């Protein structure tokens, strides 16, 4: 029985509890700044850790945590002066733990394994220095290292012992790591280790085999002459080989026992079939260098490992390719098989994308290696590679690599002159078929990733074998190739068919022009566009989209400008011919762009080359163009062309680039200098410039329900369509109209829960009356698609704080200015721009000409503070009003007008642009403004033929009609209602909900009077009517004093159909499990006082209806709406309204 290590002669620390140990370890992980880590460090902490491992009152998981902690932070804990003693203590602790019996309480196999791993790791850090993995290895603390190896050899020297087989496997792994860090360390024990491998029969044999393979690899690397078969050196005691202790002397002179090592290798090569994939990969990485050094026959390895290529494990395929690189001659003739298998891996959709991409990289590297090393049957290889097309459903990254593979194959085809053997159009057809997989770049936005992939392939295809790495190749030879001509045709066709690709095309050509080696290819492409694109372009208003490409043609001297000038002349004629009242600024904009091209021609071409056609174009523009500014600019250019020599002309035109003005301004306009925009100063402007709501929201909405409508026609998806035209895919039934020839638009049904799909016909007079009321109501609602819709306004205030504003923007004035002025900086020409991802339509910006900064409360002038401190002012006698007026003088009212396409909350992002007093430009983002569901509440529109005294009754009739129409059993579910404007219709697809509120009647009435008084249309019940009338806030409504449903005799909690239009059966709510079906357990003190009927319009076409049954201590709110998504916000709104 081993004794515990003696404590070091230092002051011992107080033992830590498990919670303190966890806190200490966590503090070390984050830098060690707490008290416990500052006091527990150095040598005492190391001693405390070792003693804690041996404690019996600590849990096993905490001991494992301490060992891991020691392994990670031992370099920061120990000092160089005490390493030897600490290694001895650690070795003694290891021996104690290994020799202790397992009781599953204080000692377990997992603890023994972790002690082995941590100790080995610490010893490698302090005892082995291999000089950055070079051949020179230096050992320190040799005696301690020998003791560690003895313990490990003792652990592994029990083959086929079943109980601790996992511990023996960990011991083998530790010995393998020591041998890997110090090759040749276990060289003298190789014979004994071979015997252990032969004796081991459990699954841990893999660890023994890998350990033996690493020992053989160390012998070969260190060239140590040891005898494997006649080795009689015992495992224990262990001595480090003298060749390691004495340095590298004598290593090169000693030879290897090749025959004996080959016998060991033959034994090892019988084991791959029993190894796991990870073990086999480690085995091959060690065995391959040994096989090369011992000159083993490659055919043996080929037979042994040839099946790895056909496994589904990418690790083993990688190992096979590594073996192929080591012995290429042994695999001669198998290139097609390797290419076919690797390409199959990349085509298997069930494989992970990373593995498919890895297979393509293997294929590219393998083909390059094969082509560079030997002459092979390239025609067969490329017959497989050329069929390697990307499919439509491949991920984009996979398509990009496959296209790179095809480009690589085409380059090799051109080099090997196989193109003529396979037909002239083989490579061209290859690319035409390959680009079908990324054909979406023709209609996707120009900034899409698919477009980038396509033009990246075009670039590689064009430069071909003339890459930057090959200095001897010439780009002029590529111009006559079939690939270049095919690429020219493809680019011209795409430019004609897809105008959105023109900016990308211009950037693509610009990339070629900026490259010194491939500039000739870009010039040739521009000549191709001049010869084949300009004659085919249709001259109309859309010709302006080609101007980025025309600009590149105009800048290039090698392209004749005659074709471009003829096209511009035709375009100016079309602009003059089609100019009219409805043209607007289109003629000015397009004419200015034409003059920009003319200026580009003047700058880059000799005047004699362009004089005739350009002078005719400018003269024609001066005489006939409708816009005055364009005519003046054309006249200036014409006079310069006639009077100024070429060099001076180009100098004058180049000076305009230095003037910060647009091309549409007069030529000689010089603007005054402006301050540059400082993005650093504008970064945090939201901290001192505030845009706040005047009326805060009841519900701070932090989420929004957005339902996208997916369109199969490729159109842009929208949030939720509530209005559509007759030309959309809508139900075939339409309402009758006075004119039978007029087509009435319809909408797709926006179904609520459990909505019936069968259309019901109007049959009785009551439903006909309801439909007539609703038709009259909806005819007042404008169709926002064809005319201005209903808007909502959110009133806010804009203010900014003076002190931080002056600190950031440096608003310094002279000393002559009054001190009060320093407290009030100003913003000039402030523009607030709004944007939102919510369906609020386009939001107009708001402009504020002048705004003063609000002064800081503790920064009033000293003279003023002294005089004010002596004033005697009565309490609440003008102070509040005066402060309010002062605050309003530093605030600017801002009205944000929204035109909702759907009644849903959202955020409005706000950006500000303003000028400071010293001319600095202030720009940045402010805090977003929250739009709540209560912002959508509007009163319904009233027809013009309704008198003022008839408005309350109209509201009641409309409420009853909408209440009936929003029921799930309504007969108007398929009725279409024509909107104002006569181009769109909408339908009512209602749903309902119930909300129970435990709130007193007094609180509820006060909340209704404060927030919903404008929307109350009817009040029922004698008691409720008297209370509301006495309040005097709610007026111009219909009062019903004789409501039967509001009598006190009825049960206030029974959810019954009190509405005369309600057709469903009574619905009872149970509030506990013991209540019977009739609700006999309901409390009788909650009697019903009456009802509120509330009608709210939700733009653009929806409604929200409340029927509040008011009780003494509770209220039941029945909700109906024809826009069911808004119910997601009503619950929070009612709770905030009544229960706050």
């Amino acid at each position: 029985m081993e004794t515990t290590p003696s404590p070091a002669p230092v002051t011992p620390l107080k033992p830590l509890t498990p919670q303190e140990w966890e806190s200490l370890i966590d503090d070390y992980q984050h830098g060690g700044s707490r008290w416990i880590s500052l006091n527990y460090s150095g040598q005492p902490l190391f001693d405390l850790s070792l003693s804690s491992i041996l404690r019996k009152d600590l849990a096993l998981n905490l001991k494992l945590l301490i060992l891991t902690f020691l392994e990670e932070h031992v370099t920061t804990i120990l000092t160089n002066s005490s390493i030897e003693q600490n290694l001895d203590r650690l070795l003694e602790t290891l021996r104690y733990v290994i020799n202790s019996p397992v009781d599953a309480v204080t000692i377990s196999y997992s603890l023994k394994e972790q002690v082995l791993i941590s100790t080995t790791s610490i010893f490698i850090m302090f005892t082995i220095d291999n000089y950055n993995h070079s051949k020179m290895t230096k050992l320190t603390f040799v005696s301690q290292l020998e003791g560690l190896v003895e313990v490990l050899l003792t652990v592994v020297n029990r083959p086929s012992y079943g109980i601790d087989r996992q511990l023996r496997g960990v011991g083998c792994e530790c010995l393998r790591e020591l041998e890997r860090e110090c090759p040749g360390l276990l060289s003298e024990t190789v014979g004994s280790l071979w015997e252990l491998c032969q004796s081991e029969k459990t699954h841990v044999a893999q660890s023994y085999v890998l350990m033996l393979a690493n020992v053989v690899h160390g012998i070969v690397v260190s060239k140590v002459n040891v005898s494997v078969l006649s080795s009689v050196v015992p495992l224990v005691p262990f001595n480090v080989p003298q060749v390691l202790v004495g340095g590298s002397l004598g290593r090169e002179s000693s030879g290897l026992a090749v025959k004996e090592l080959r016998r060991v290798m033959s034994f090892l090569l019988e084991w791959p079939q029993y190894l796991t994939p990870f073990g086999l990969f480690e085995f091959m990485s060690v065995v391959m260098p040994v096989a090369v050094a011992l000159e083993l026959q490659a055919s043996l390895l080929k037979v042994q490992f040839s099946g790895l290529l056909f496994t589904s494990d990418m690790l083993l395929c990688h190992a096979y390719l590594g073996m192929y690189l080591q012995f290429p001659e042994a695999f001669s003739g198998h290139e097609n098989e390797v290419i076919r298998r690797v390409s199959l891996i990349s085509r298997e959709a069930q494989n992970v994308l990373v593995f498919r991409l890895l297979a393509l990289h293997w294929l590219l590297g393998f083909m390059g290696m094969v082509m560079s090393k030997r002459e092979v049957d390239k025609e067969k290889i490329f017959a497989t590679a050329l069929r390697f097309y990307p499919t439509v459903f491949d991920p984009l990254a996979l398509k990009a690599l496959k296209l790179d593979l095809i480009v690589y194959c085409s380059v090799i085809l051109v080099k090997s002159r196989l193109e003529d053997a396979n037909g002239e159009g083989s490579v061209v057809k290859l690319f035409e078929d390959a680009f079908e997989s990324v054909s979406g770049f023709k209609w996707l936005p120009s900034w899409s990733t698919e477009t980038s992939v396509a033009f990246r392939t075009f670039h590689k295809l064009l430069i071909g074998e003339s890459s930057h790495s090959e200095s001897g190749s010439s780009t002029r030879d590529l111009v006559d190739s079939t690939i270049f001509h095919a690429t020219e045709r493809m680019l011209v066709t795409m430019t004609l068919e897809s105008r959105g690709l023109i900016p990308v095309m211009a950037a693509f050509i610009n990339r070629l022009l900026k490259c010194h080696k491939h500039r000739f290819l870009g010039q040739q492409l521009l000549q191709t566009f001049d010869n084949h694109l300009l004659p085919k372009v249709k001259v109309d208003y859309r010709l302006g989209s080609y101007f980025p490409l025309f600009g590149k043609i105009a800048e290039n001297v090698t392209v004749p400008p005659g074709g471009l000038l003829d096209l511009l002349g035709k375009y100016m004629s079309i602009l003059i011919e089609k100019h009219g009242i409805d043209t607007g600024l289109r003629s000015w904009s397009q004419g200015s762009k034409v003059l920009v091209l003319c200026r580009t021609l003047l700058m880059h071409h000799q005047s004699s080359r362009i004089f005739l056609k350009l002078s005719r174009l400018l003269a024609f523009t001066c005489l006939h163009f409708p816009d005055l500014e364009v005519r003046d600019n054309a006249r200036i250019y014409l006079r310069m062309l006639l009077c100024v020599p070429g060099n001076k002309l180009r100098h004058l035109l180049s000076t305009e680039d230095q003037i910060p003005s647009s091309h549409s301004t007069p030529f000689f306009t010089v603007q005054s200098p402006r301050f540059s925009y400082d993005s650093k100063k504008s970064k945090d402007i939201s901290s001192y410039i505030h845009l706040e709501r005047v009326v805060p929201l009841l519900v701070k909405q932090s989420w929004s329900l957005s339902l996208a409508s997916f369109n199969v026609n490729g159109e842009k998806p929208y949030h939720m369509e509530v209005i559509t035209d007759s030309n959309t895919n809508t139900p075939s039934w339409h309402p009758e109209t006075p004119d039978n020839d007029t087509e009435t638009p319809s909408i797709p049904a926006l179904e609520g829960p459990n909505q019936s799909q069968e259309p019901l016909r109007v049959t009785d007079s009551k439903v006909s009356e309801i439909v007539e009321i609703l038709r009259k109501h909806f005819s007042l609602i404008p169709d926002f698609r064809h005319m201005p819709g209903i808007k909502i306004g959110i009133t806010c205030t804009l203010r900014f704080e003076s002190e931080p504003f002056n600190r950031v923007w440096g608003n310094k004035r002279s000393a002559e200015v009054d001190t009060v002025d320093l407290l009030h900086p100003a913003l000039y020409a402030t523009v607030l721009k709004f944007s939102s991802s919510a369906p609020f339509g386009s939001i107009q910006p708001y402009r504020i000409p002048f705004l003063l900064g609000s002064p800081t409360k503790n920064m009033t002038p000293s003279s003023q503070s002294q005089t004010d401190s002596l004033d005697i002012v009565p309490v609440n006698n003008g102070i509040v009003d005066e402060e309010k007026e002062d605050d309003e003088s530093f605030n600017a009212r801002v009205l944000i007008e929204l035109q909702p396409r759907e009644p849903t909350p959202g955020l409005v992002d706000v950006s500000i642009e303003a000028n400071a007093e010293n001319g600095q430009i202030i720009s940045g983002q402010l805090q977003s403004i929250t739009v709540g569901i209560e912002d959508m509440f509007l009163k319904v529109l009233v027809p013009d033929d309704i008198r003022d005294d008839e408005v309350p009754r109209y509201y009641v009739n409309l409420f009853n009609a909408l209440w009936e129409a929003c029921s799930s059993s309504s007969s108007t579910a398929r009725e279409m209602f024509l909107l104002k404007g006569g181009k769109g219709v909408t339908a009512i697809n209602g749903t309902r909900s119930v909300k129970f509120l435990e709130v007193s009647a007094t609180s509820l009435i006060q909340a209704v009077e404060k927030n919903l008084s404008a929307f109350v249309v009817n009040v029922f019940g004698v008691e409720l009517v008297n209370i509301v009338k006495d309040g005097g806030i709610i007026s111009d409504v219909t009062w019903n004093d004789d409501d039967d449903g509001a009598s006190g005799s009825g049960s206030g909690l029974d959810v019954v159909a009190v509405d005369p239009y309600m057709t469903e059966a009574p619905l009872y709510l149970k509030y506990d499990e013991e209540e019977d079906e009739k609700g006999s357990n309901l409390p009788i003190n909650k009697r019903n006082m009456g009802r509120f009927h509330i009608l709210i319009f939700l733009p653009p076409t929806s409604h929200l209806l409340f029927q509040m049954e008011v009780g003494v201590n509770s209220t039941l709110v029945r909700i109906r709406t024809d826009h069911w998504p808004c119910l997601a916000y009503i619950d929070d709104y009612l709770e905030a309204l009544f229960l706050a």
Side-chain angles (χ1 to χ4, degrees), residues 63 81 95 116 264 370 408 449 546 577 593 610 738 805 860 893 901 929 1000 1017 1034 1048 1112-1113:
K63 293 181 180 181
S81 59
R95 288 171 179 167
L116 286 177
V264 178
V370 171
Y408 181 74
T449 310
Y546 289 93
E577 179 183 350
K593 291 180 180 178
I610 60 176
F805 182 87
T860 56
R893 285 297 180 104
R901 268 58 171 169
I929 297 297
S1000 64
V1017 299
I1034 299 177
V1112 176
N1113 297 318

Side-chain angles (χ1 to χ4, degrees), residues 12 106 134 193 277 378 405 577 580 595 645 684 712 775 855 891 992 1038 1044:
T106 58
S134 63
L193 296 179
K378 298 180 180 179
L405 177 64
E577 179 183 350
L595 291 183
D684 298 325
V712 298
R775 284 181 179 174
N891 295 341
R992 56 181 179 170
T1038 304
D1044 297 335

Side-chain angles (χ1 to χ4, degrees), residues 471-514:
S471 57
S473 59
S474 175
T475 57
R476 296 183 179 270
D477 299 335
L478 295 177
V479 177
D480 298 328
S481 64
T482 308
I483 297 179
F484 183 79
H485 293 309
T487 307
E488 285 180 322
R489 292 193 299 269
M490 295 171 67
L491 292 177
V492 170
T493 304
M494 285 190 305
T495 307
L496 290 172
E497 295 177 353
S498 306
R499 298 174 186 266
L501 292 178
I502 294 174
V504 189
M505 200 78 64
F508 173 72
I509 295 177
N510 192 40
R511 178 183 179 185
L512 293 174
L513 293 175
K514 288 184 177 181

Side-chain angles (χ1 to χ4, degrees), residues 95 125 127 136 264 451 481 532 550 582 648 679 711 836 871 1015:
R95 288 171 179 167
M125 283 189 288
T127 61
M136 300 293 294
V264 178
T451 305
S481 64
H532 298 91
F550 292 167
D582 299 332
K648 292 184 178 180
S679 59
N711 207 326
S836 177
D871 293 340
F1015 310 107

Side-chain angles (χ1 to χ4, degrees), residues 414-518:
V414 174
K415 287 184 178 180
S416 59
R417 302 305 180 193
L418 288 180
E419 184 178 351
D420 297 334
N422 295 334
E424 184 178 358
S426 60
V427 179
V428 177
K429 185 178 183 302
L430 169 68
F431 274 94
E432 289 178 351
D433 295 343
F435 273 112
E436 290 298 325
S437 64
V438 288
S439 59
F441 76 92
K442 297 180 181 180
W443 52 268
L444 285 173
S446 57
W447 44 263
S448 66
T449 310
E450 192 159 344
T451 305
S452 302
V453 169
F455 278 87
R456 172 176 173 268
T457 307
F458 273 125
H459 184 265
K460 290 190 174 183
L461 176 63
L462 269 182
I463 64 176
E465 57 182 322
S466 177
S467 62
H468 296 86
S469 59
E470 300 179 4
S471 57
S473 59
S474 175
T475 57
R476 296 183 179 270
D477 299 335
L478 295 177
V479 177
D480 298 328
S481 64
T482 308
I483 297 179
F484 183 79
H485 293 309
T487 307
E488 285 180 322
R489 292 193 299 269
M490 295 171 67
L491 292 177
V492 170
T493 304
M494 285 190 305
T495 307
L496 290 172
E497 295 177 353
S498 306
R499 298 174 186 266
L501 292 178
I502 294 174
V504 189
M505 200 78 64
F508 173 72
I509 295 177
N510 192 40
R511 178 183 179 185
L512 293 174
L513 293 175
K514 288 184 177 181
C515 178
H516 179 73
K517 186 173 185 179
H518 301 130

